[in-house]
Amino acid sequence: MEHIPFPSWPDVAADLIAVATGRTPAQTVIKGGKWVNVHTREVLDGHDIAITHGRIACVVSDASYCTGPDTEVIEANGRYMIPGLCDAHMHIESGMLTPAEFARAVIPHGTTSMFTDPHEIANVLGLEGVRMMHDEALMQPVNIFTQMPSCAPSAPGMETTGFEISPEDVAEAMAWPGIIGLGEMMNFPGVSNADPKMLAEIAATQRAGKTVGGHYASPDLGPAFAGYVAGGPADDHEGTCEADAIARMRQGMRSMIRLGSAWYDVQSQITAITEKGLDPRNMILCTDDCHSGTLVNDGHMNRVVRHAIDCGCDPLVALQMATINTATHFGLEREIGSLTPGRRADVILTSDLKTLPIEQVIARGKTVSINGEITVDCPHYDWPDSARQTVNMARDLTADDFRIAAPKGANAVTANVIGVVENQAPTKALQFELPVTEGRVQATGEVCQIALVERHRATGGVVNAFVSGFGYAGPMAMASTVAHDSHHMIVVGTDADNMALATNRLRAVGGGITVFKDGTELALVDLPIAGLMSDNPAQEVAAKADAMMEAMRACGCTLNNAYMQHSLLALVVIPELRISDLGLVDVRTFEFKPVIETHT
């Protein structure tokens, strides 16, 4: 399907004026609603919205003067009319869905604008993969704006990706019609140290007049943070406490606070607004990462807004954080984010501002969902074989590939262990005393093994280490080709035989997630596109994801949304300890650490 650009405001200004003045009837009128005005933070009863060419012509107390016999009339019946919700920072790939199926999943939840950074596929397929995501995004009936990925690899020298993103790639993408800015600048040490490549990417974005996304994952708010801000990133979503949010807003950044499938960072930061009383214009709500189960069962940006309200935020302020604040940040205040003339007619009808039931969704002037049921098509891109054949391993693996040899003569070792923290992206750098049996280090108690299996260049490489916090018990293994950000294959298990079975299963199906217990596969989520996404409907993928999480529980894991924790164990830009295809990475110092520290 060829992308047909949505008409701009100047393209249709004459027709908007004709409707607003009553010289021409509107194509659509939403009649008799409570107008939620996010510019003034008011609720104005008894208003109509007149729409033509998918844009708002006027919001008035009575639009009968511009309502003709062929005008579609949508009865608001006294309900609230609020702007379509905007997700300011997210990764479509984290939903395990293509842009089309992600849109289909979130439209009934009232999300009409997304600002998405496809850096997951960039690590696997490079600029070509970004273009595929961009092109399918432009085919959708809602607004999906693409941020050009900035960091592939996320930390040069710490990992090996399938492809690398260059400043030349960034400069080229800035001319694409759907590119809104630069994706999160994860290489925060590079920016703070004025790395020429990172600064060249930022410069190309700024010279194009577009927004530079940020990602400062360090707790250090001293000179390193000051240097990062001076480098140009305009926002940050990696804060986890009130002080983080305040520091970013004081420095002229937007603090993006997230509620994803596993990241619960709203409650601890929104107090900067609800208790400290700071200006909320520079705080924005987002999801970052939501898997398909969350989208289908719990919601999307409506879930985030409700959560912010439950955390004590005024409903109108929470709505501003999910609409006009986002639009303003990306330079789109005159395009989306409010129900005012000229803007895209993205409207939600809801009967309650606090519980926020999404009863009707209108995008670009057309009804796209009623009472949770989508009413439009979300067209698919024709994904080529090059995007579907990306698990490139040299051979099937055996249990021997997952054995960690102890130093000669050792009876026990002190091992550096990745410690998972529930509901947060950061990990802990821990140490455990582990026994040695027949020359092999044994994972015991709360410690199990983790391996990073190379899958881009068929090198045959396997890096082994240890992780704690999942609670697994008995012979089991879980493997995933979703392994932020380099997206090799992460395997976590208590048993080398099961780890080999899980790895080889994903090689055979072309990517996804699998859980094995006692030599039997309990669950499989097949993700054939880049090993990251499925083009099946969200409900089908969510059902498989639910079965996968149930399988994790059957193996002893009780963490909330532990899959997200699993998939981020290779993200070498979030402290403290991570694994990559090059070794165990201490993200506090950006140095490699030995798996075995000492032995006796």
Side-chain angles (χ1 to χ4, degrees), residues 143 168 303 322 356 378 413 417 457 505 532:
N143 314 308
E168 292 75 21
R303 168 178 175 255
L356 208 63
C378 295
V413 304
V417 177
R457 295 180 172 84
R505 174 65 163 153
L532 303 173

Short mmCIF file of all heavy atoms in Angstrom, two decimals, residues 143 168 303 322 356 378 413 417 457 505 532:
data_model
loop_
_atom_site.label_atom_id
_atom_site.label_comp_id
_atom_site.label_asym_id
_atom_site.label_seq_id
_atom_site.Cartn_x
_atom_site.Cartn_y
_atom_site.Cartn_z
N ASN A 143 -1.22 8.17 14.04
CA ASN A 143 0.05 8.84 13.83
C ASN A 143 1.19 8.07 14.50
O ASN A 143 1.26 8.00 15.73
CB ASN A 143 0.00 10.25 14.43
CG ASN A 143 -1.28 10.99 14.06
OD1 ASN A 143 -1.65 11.08 12.90
ND2 ASN A 143 -1.97 11.51 15.08
N GLU A 168 26.14 9.22 8.98
CA GLU A 168 25.63 9.34 7.61
C GLU A 168 24.23 8.74 7.50
O GLU A 168 23.35 9.27 6.80
CB GLU A 168 26.58 8.66 6.63
CG GLU A 168 27.92 9.34 6.47
CD GLU A 168 28.88 9.14 7.64
OE1 GLU A 168 28.69 8.15 8.40
OE2 GLU A 168 29.80 9.97 7.82
N ARG A 303 -3.74 3.22 30.40
CA ARG A 303 -3.25 2.59 31.64
C ARG A 303 -2.29 3.53 32.36
O ARG A 303 -2.34 3.65 33.60
CB ARG A 303 -2.58 1.27 31.28
CG ARG A 303 -1.77 0.61 32.38
CD ARG A 303 -1.20 -0.71 31.88
NE ARG A 303 -0.32 -1.35 32.86
CZ ARG A 303 1.00 -1.38 32.78
NH1 ARG A 303 1.62 -0.78 31.75
NH2 ARG A 303 1.73 -1.99 33.69
N ALA A 322 0.04 13.46 28.74
CA ALA A 322 -0.09 12.42 27.71
C ALA A 322 -0.61 12.98 26.40
O ALA A 322 -0.96 12.21 25.50
CB ALA A 322 -1.01 11.31 28.20
N LEU A 356 -11.28 6.58 33.12
CA LEU A 356 -10.95 6.72 31.71
C LEU A 356 -11.37 5.53 30.85
O LEU A 356 -10.55 4.93 30.15
CB LEU A 356 -9.44 6.98 31.55
CG LEU A 356 -9.03 7.78 30.31
CD1 LEU A 356 -9.61 9.18 30.34
CD2 LEU A 356 -7.50 7.85 30.21
N CYS A 378 -5.64 -1.96 9.54
CA CYS A 378 -4.26 -1.51 9.77
C CYS A 378 -3.38 -2.26 8.77
O CYS A 378 -3.02 -3.42 8.98
CB CYS A 378 -3.83 -1.81 11.21
SG CYS A 378 -4.75 -0.87 12.45
N VAL A 413 34.44 -20.91 44.07
CA VAL A 413 34.83 -19.64 43.46
C VAL A 413 33.95 -18.52 43.99
O VAL A 413 32.83 -18.76 44.46
CB VAL A 413 34.72 -19.69 41.91
CG1 VAL A 413 35.55 -20.83 41.34
CG2 VAL A 413 33.27 -19.79 41.47
N VAL A 417 27.94 -11.78 39.76
CA VAL A 417 26.60 -12.24 39.40
C VAL A 417 25.71 -11.04 39.11
O VAL A 417 25.68 -10.07 39.87
CB VAL A 417 25.99 -13.10 40.52
CG1 VAL A 417 24.56 -13.53 40.17
CG2 VAL A 417 26.86 -14.33 40.79
N ARG A 457 26.22 -13.22 13.00
CA ARG A 457 27.27 -13.54 12.02
C ARG A 457 27.73 -14.99 12.05
O ARG A 457 28.73 -15.34 11.44
CB ARG A 457 28.47 -12.61 12.24
CG ARG A 457 28.17 -11.13 11.98
CD ARG A 457 29.39 -10.27 12.21
NE ARG A 457 29.17 -8.90 11.79
CZ ARG A 457 28.58 -7.96 12.53
NH1 ARG A 457 28.16 -8.27 13.76
NH2 ARG A 457 28.40 -6.74 12.08
N ARG A 505 16.05 -24.76 19.62
CA ARG A 505 14.66 -24.59 19.21
C ARG A 505 14.46 -23.23 18.52
O ARG A 505 13.80 -23.15 17.48
CB ARG A 505 13.75 -24.71 20.44
CG ARG A 505 12.30 -24.40 20.18
CD ARG A 505 11.65 -25.41 19.24
NE ARG A 505 10.20 -25.34 19.33
CZ ARG A 505 9.37 -25.66 18.36
NH1 ARG A 505 9.87 -26.09 17.19
NH2 ARG A 505 8.07 -25.59 18.52
N LEU A 532 12.28 -10.62 16.46
CA LEU A 532 11.75 -9.65 17.41
C LEU A 532 10.24 -9.53 17.37
O LEU A 532 9.62 -9.21 18.38
CB LEU A 532 12.33 -8.25 17.12
CG LEU A 532 13.84 -8.09 17.11
CD1 LEU A 532 14.20 -6.68 16.64
CD2 LEU A 532 14.40 -8.35 18.50
#
